Amino acid sequence: MTQVVNIVASGHLHREFDTAELASTASLPVTKRTQDGRVYFDFPAVDATVSLSRTGQYLISGAKDIDTVNDSRESLISALQEVGAEIDIESVESPGISNIVFSGELKNATEGVDLARLVKDLGLDKASYEPEQFSQVVYRPDELDCVILIFSSGKVTITGCTEFETGDKAMELLQSKLQSR
């Protein structure tokens, strides 16, 4: 029904880092350093990006499954330890998921979706459509904690989720509302 296209997760290493020094360490796979001091890592073994702030907070984005999230955390810790950073592994929790993005496609939408009609069918208090600014319907269902973006092609993006089950539940909810119109 839906597939995960991005997971954003974060955690804390419970110590501060000199991110300027980390950014200039040749053995670390640093891709960039921002003005706010955040350092971005691109580890070859994982398909995600990890950023680290000077406060020790890290952010993982681009993962498509929980194993990649955990592997990204482990890659960060290992790389930092290899360059001499002391990290108390016992105090570092698993990363918390803050956003999961899903994609899917509406059934029976081969001829496209009339977005102006769709927003009325979903309810003007729950859905919005402003084609001059944003060419899709933004739907915020009461039943689930997520935002559903519906494109005229029938493609759907579901964002704001923190649980893996929410993607399929959101798609099922949307399909049932469309069938009942």
Side-chain angles (χ1 to χ4, degrees):
M1 266 208 64
T2 61
Q3 66 180 37
V4 174
V5 293
N6 185 26
I7 300 172
V8 177
S10 63
H12 210 284
L13 298 178
H14 304 292
R15 61 156 289 176
E16 291 191 0
F17 292 89
D18 181 346
T19 55
E21 182 180 322
L22 290 176
S24 64
T25 303
S27 63
L28 289 175
V30 174
T31 56
K32 72 177 177 178
R33 181 173 180 265
T34 60
Q35 286 185 333
D36 68 351
R38 194 166 273 281
V39 182
Y40 289 79
F41 299 91
D42 189 13
F43 298 106
V46 292
D47 192 19
T49 299
V50 182
S51 65
L52 176 67
S53 71
R54 62 172 186 71
T55 63
Q57 181 181 19
Y58 64 91
L59 185 73
I60 300 165
S61 60
K64 293 185 175 43
D65 57 58
I66 198 67
D67 288 339
T68 302
V69 169
N70 291 327
D71 291 347
S72 297
R73 172 188 170 268
E74 295 306 316
S75 294
L76 174 66
I77 291 170
S78 294
L80 292 171
Q81 287 177 326
E82 285 175 18
V83 296
E86 292 183 23
I87 298 172
D88 178 13
I89 300 294
E90 299 299 318
S91 70
V92 179
E93 313 87 29
S94 295
I97 294 175
S98 56
N99 187 22
I100 306 172
V101 180
F102 298 89
S103 70
E105 201 162 333
L106 292 173
K107 295 177 188 170
N108 305 321
T110 54
E111 295 182 25
V113 177
D114 179 351
L115 297 180
R117 178 175 169 216
L118 176 63
V119 75
K120 290 177 188 171
D121 291 345
L122 293 173
L124 295 173
D125 58 330
K126 307 282 180 265
S128 63
Y129 175 53
E130 297 180 37
E132 313 81 39
Q133 297 177 13
F134 202 55
S135 63
Q136 59 249 352
V137 169
V138 178
Y139 177 49
R140 300 173 196 283
D142 284 336
E143 299 88 340
L144 297 168
D145 189 20
C146 66
V147 176
I148 304 172
L149 307 174
I150 307 140
F151 298 82
S152 62
S153 65
K155 296 211 182 283
V156 175
T157 300
I158 304 160
T159 187
C161 308
T162 56
E163 297 176 359
F164 288 96
E165 303 80 33
T166 306
D168 285 340
K169 286 180 183 178
M171 188 61 101
E172 289 168 11
L173 174 69
L174 181 59
Q175 288 288 167
S176 72
K177 289 197 181 275
L178 294 177
Q179 288 173 352
S180 66
R181 61 178 181 161

